[in-house]
Amino acid sequence: MSTEPCQCAGKEQAAFTPRPIVMCGPSGTGKSTLLKRLFAEYPDKFGFSVSHTTRKPRPGEVNGKDYHFVEREVMLQEISVGKFIESAEFSGNIYGTSYRAIEDVLASGKNVILDIDMQGVLILQRQLASGEQKLSGKPLFVFIAPPNVQELEKRLKGRGTENEESLAKRLDAAKRELEWGLKPGSVDAVIVNDDVEKAYVELKTVILS
Ligand code: ADP
Ligand code: 5GP
């Protein structure tokens, strides 16, 4: 990976040292929205760690790009043989980051970005604390918060991806994630996504500095 100063147009010309960036925050808070912008603006700088999931694809999601969509039995078997750096059950589905997902991004010379839930972050943080760091370099943990839970619910409903049951599960998880993420010391940076433009500028400031 290059450690040269950013050559991109705009204000972010200061040098930055690539390191894994771990994005987290409640489902529906806007992580994918912000990351889409980032990958569009910096296609050569950042690469997405494509997770595995047992969740069914949403309309428009592409296997191998958004996720590796797999059956539960396959995922459980692959977890048991140590294919994943971390994995967790979220809202009735299993999600996990494979070693391969990270290696693929690093091999392309880009800085890797993960989008994972609180449980996954806690696993990575425990690995770090015990000296079993499995990512290359100390990660930067960034929590994307919604302005409030009512707005989060509105966004999740507006996205049109959830049924009543999965919406309730995600909102339930969101409350726990918010309590954790907003507690001082849980992550390196908290960005409140009340306005996408503003949140995106803040995200760039955090990860390019
Ligand atoms: P996540 O990846 O965190 O689950 P998404 O990026 O899918 O969240 O965003 C959830 C929904 O909220 C999407 O429909 C998206 O367009 C919308 N959204 C994202 N950011 C904002 C914002 N700042 N204001 C209003 N709606 C937003
Ligand atoms: P979604 O189903 O909305 O795509 O994702 C649900 C939640 O799973 C989000 O909080 C997302 O960050 C998280 N997630 C996605 N991939 C992974 C992963 O590989 N590991 C973990 N622990 N969580 C993940």
Side-chain angles (χ1 to χ4, degrees), residues 21-26 31 85-90 95-97 114-129 133 135 139-144 177 180-181 185-189:
I21 293 155
V22 180
M23 302 276 285
C24 57
K31 301 179 296 296
I85 293 178
E86 62 75 32
S87 61
E89 178 111 19
F90 179 91
Y95 296 80
T97 306
L114 288 72
D115 171 350
I116 63 174
D117 84 325
M118 174 184 74
Q119 303 170 84
V121 171
L122 290 171
I123 292 170
L124 295 182
Q125 291 180 338
R126 274 199 297 273
Q127 290 171 356
L128 255 180
Q133 156 74 317
L135 295 172
L140 179 74
F141 294 99
V142 183
F143 186 86
I144 308 295
E177 298 214 13
W180 163 78
S186 292
V187 291
D188 298 305

Side-chain angles (χ1 to χ4, degrees), residues 130-168:
S130 64
E132 293 168 33
Q133 156 74 317
K134 292 177 179 168
L135 295 172
S136 63
K138 186 177 182 294
L140 179 74
F141 294 99
V142 183
F143 186 86
I144 308 295
N148 53 59
V149 175
Q150 292 73 26
E151 172 64 18
L152 183 72
E153 180 166 358
K154 203 170 122 197
R155 286 182 196 174
L156 272 174
K157 283 182 176 162
R159 192 169 69 183
T161 53
E162 307 311 316
N163 58 35
E164 213 172 304
E165 189 192 350
S166 68
L167 177 71

Side-chain angles (χ1 to χ4, degrees), residues 22-91:
V22 180
M23 302 276 285
C24 57
S27 170
T29 195
K31 301 179 296 296
S32 310
T33 304
L34 292 167
L35 286 180
K36 263 192 200 105
R37 285 192 179 210
L38 189 76
F39 293 129
E41 186 172 355
Y42 299 99
D44 302 326
K45 281 275 180 232
F46 298 107
F48 188 52
S49 159
V50 181
S51 294
H52 282 57
T53 184
T54 62
R55 164 168 83 59
K56 295 285 165 262
R58 294 173 185 148
E61 282 186 328
V62 177
N63 190 28
K65 181 171 179 280
D66 298 288
Y67 281 107
H68 299 288
F69 295 99
V70 289
E71 295 300 323
R72 177 172 279 263
E73 301 73 52
V74 174
M75 183 110 186
L76 287 172
Q77 198 273 334
E78 291 185 341
I79 290 171
S80 74
V81 296
K83 199 170 157 177
F84 292 90
I85 293 178
E86 62 75 32
S87 61
E89 178 111 19
F90 179 91
S91 184

